[in-house]
Amino acid sequence: MTFRASVLTLYPEMFPGPLGLSLAGRGLREGRWSLDAVQIRDFATDKHRSVDDTPAGGGAGMVLRADVLAAACDSVGYDRPMLAMSPRGRPLTQARVRDLAAGPGVSILCGRFEGFDERLFEARAIEPVSIGDYILSGGEMAALTLLDACVRLLPGVMGAASSGDDESFESGLLEYPQYTRPVTWEGRTIPEVLRSGDHARIAAWRHATAETDTRLRRPDLWERHTGVRVQSPSGARRNDWDEDT
Ligand code: SAH
């Protein structure tokens, strides 16, 4: 079964872009997944082929029109989940990526300017999805990100490498740290346990470091994983990356 991706965008030339290279690109050429980029502007109806208009209530920028977007989405159909990339959407997770990758494919609507007329989400089964708490200039790179995450999980795309359960987030924890040769670099030596050949000790070390790193770097993940709230002495510091204040 081929995983079918359709992307609705004002910039179809951005696809497959980076997904035409490396393992995703090989998977595309081998027919393990397909990609179809639809030009939203083809569904404009006025003589200027306009896709956007000024925001109701005033303010800067332009808003994508619900009528044009709905016509574009209807042309693709709703036999697969239809997502709209939006910072107002539900944050994407590895669990959601797994669900999507196990299904027939996905359709992805890419915003530009100030985003979508909200009535689109009332009138059609379209789910807003965010890739994180920052603002991009358009949904295309968010769509590429989501597709990359899905495609690497498809059978045959990554081969034996790494679609495994060790990766960060698969267990609800960050992955343990990795090392490779040279054994000594700038005076720093790979942890002895990893060179011991003792598989039980290695597994125990990896599990312990995954837990410690998750607790220190991502107290939000740790809390979800264990149900235990991480107490920080200062109370102000949210995770290991934040500056002390
Ligand atoms: N005015 C909007 C942002 C528009 S950014 C707001 O403040 O909510 C323009 C487009 O880029 C969006 O419509 C969306 O498709 C895409 N985009 C920007 N940031 C994104 C994010 N974090 N996740 C997913 N898509 C994003």
Side-chain angles (χ1 to χ4, degrees), residues 6-127:
S6 296
V7 181
L8 300 93
T9 168
L10 290 169
Y11 298 97
E13 59 275 30
M14 285 178 76
F15 296 87
L19 298 181
L21 305 173
S22 191
L23 298 177
R26 198 181 65 194
L28 189 57
R29 287 187 295 279
E30 288 174 355
R32 298 185 193 277
W33 67 291
S34 73
L35 178 64
D36 155 45
V38 175
Q39 171 56 270
I40 293 169
R41 199 172 294 281
D42 291 346
F43 297 85
T45 50
D46 64 351
K47 66 173 185 294
H48 303 295
R49 298 224 302 157
S50 60
V51 295
D52 56 346
D53 209 329
T54 54
M62 298 294 274
V63 176
L64 291 167
R65 290 167 52 145
D67 56 346
V68 177
L69 294 174
C73 292
D74 293 351
S75 81
V76 168
Y78 302 91
D79 57 337
R80 295 158 280 162
M82 174 83 70
L83 311 182
M85 302 320 300
S86 168
R88 285 165 44 82
R90 193 200 308 186
L92 186 64
T93 61
Q94 186 65 16
R96 186 72 204 281
V97 165
R98 272 209 180 271
D99 278 354
L100 288 170
V106 64
S107 303
I108 308 176
L109 180 58
C110 300
R112 280 273 156 179
F113 324 121
E114 295 309 314
F116 315 102
D117 183 316
E118 188 67 19
R119 291 171 296 178
L120 181 70
F121 301 103
E122 297 161 13
R124 296 290 187 279
I126 301 175
E127 185 197 343

Side-chain angles (χ1 to χ4, degrees), residues 85-88 111 113-115 129-132 134-139 142:
M85 302 320 300
S86 168
R88 285 165 44 82
F113 324 121
E114 295 309 314
V129 172
S130 168
I131 64 159
Y134 41 82
I135 305 293
L136 305 170
S137 53

Side-chain angles (χ1 to χ4, degrees), residues 54-243:
T54 54
M62 298 294 274
V63 176
L64 291 167
R65 290 167 52 145
D67 56 346
V68 177
L69 294 174
C73 292
D74 293 351
S75 81
V76 168
Y78 302 91
D79 57 337
R80 295 158 280 162
M82 174 83 70
L83 311 182
M85 302 320 300
S86 168
R88 285 165 44 82
R90 193 200 308 186
L92 186 64
T93 61
Q94 186 65 16
R96 186 72 204 281
V97 165
R98 272 209 180 271
D99 278 354
L100 288 170
V106 64
S107 303
I108 308 176
L109 180 58
C110 300
R112 280 273 156 179
F113 324 121
E114 295 309 314
F116 315 102
D117 183 316
E118 188 67 19
R119 291 171 296 178
L120 181 70
F121 301 103
E122 297 161 13
R124 296 290 187 279
I126 301 175
E127 185 197 343
V129 172
S130 168
I131 64 159
D133 293 343
Y134 41 82
I135 305 293
L136 305 170
S137 53
E140 288 78 11
M141 297 223 222
L144 289 167
T145 299
L146 187 151
L147 286 174
D148 181 79
C150 290
V151 164
R152 62 184 288 285
L153 297 178
L154 299 175
V157 170
M158 302 248 325
S162 203
S163 48
D165 302 328
D166 270 6
E167 307 273 10
S168 291
F169 311 120
E170 289 295 0
S171 63
L173 297 174
L174 301 180
E175 198 189 52
Y176 46 82
Q178 302 274 12
Y179 301 85
T180 188
R181 280 183 282 273
V183 169
T184 302
W185 173 71
E186 294 195 350
R188 294 157 201 279
T189 303
I190 295 174
E192 180 279 327
V193 54
L194 298 179
R195 292 175 286 123
S196 68
D198 180 340
H199 297 296
R201 262 184 78 212
I202 292 170
W205 181 88
R206 285 178 165 170
H207 187 72
T209 51
E211 289 198 338
T212 310
D213 288 352
T214 305
R215 189 160 45 78
L216 293 176
R217 296 174 177 203
R218 293 291 304 276
D220 57 322
L221 285 184
W222 182 250
E223 200 175 318
R224 216 177 309 152
H225 181 71
T226 59
V228 177
R229 220 195 145 93
V230 180
Q231 299 289 341
S232 73
S234 72
R237 197 168 139 165
R238 283 189 1 266
N239 62 51
D240 203 35
W241 306 126
D242 290 348
E243 300 291 330

